[in-house]
Amino acid sequence: MEKNKVKTHSGAKKRFKMTASGKVKYQKTNKRHRLTQKATKRKRIARTVGIADATNAPALKKLMPYQ
């Protein structure tokens, strides 16, 4: 019996990527507009990559089955 293909969630594939070790990484928020009034420290922290929490990672991996 053939396996059914699962569609990748379009929103998830734009927002998340998988690391080589299987963790889910994402870009932090607050770096898009109105940057002049935000503190330099806040913008610097937003530059770093976020790693999804272990409790949320399995749900995100289901949305991206072929990554």
Side-chain angles (χ1 to χ4, degrees):
M1 190 163 189
E2 293 181 23
K3 279 190 160 184
N4 290 334
K5 283 192 166 186
V6 181
K7 286 191 177 182
T8 302
H9 191 276
S10 296
K13 72 182 175 187
K14 295 171 190 172
R15 289 169 174 84
F16 303 105
K17 292 213 170 33
M18 302 293 290
T19 63
S21 61
K23 295 180 182 177
V24 181
K25 68 178 182 176
Y26 63 92
Q27 188 60 50
K28 293 190 179 175
T29 59
N30 297 320
K31 275 290 283 184
R32 292 292 178 197
H33 60 98
R34 290 172 50 176
L35 296 174
T36 54
Q37 65 188 30
K38 293 175 186 167
T40 308
K41 181 179 179 180
R42 183 174 164 188
K43 292 186 284 188
R44 184 174 63 246
I45 291 169
R47 276 199 301 260
T48 61
V49 173
I51 301 292
D53 191 60
T55 56
N56 294 327
L60 293 171
K61 288 178 183 178
K62 279 186 184 178
L63 294 175
M64 302 182 302
Y66 303 111
Q67 267 63 36

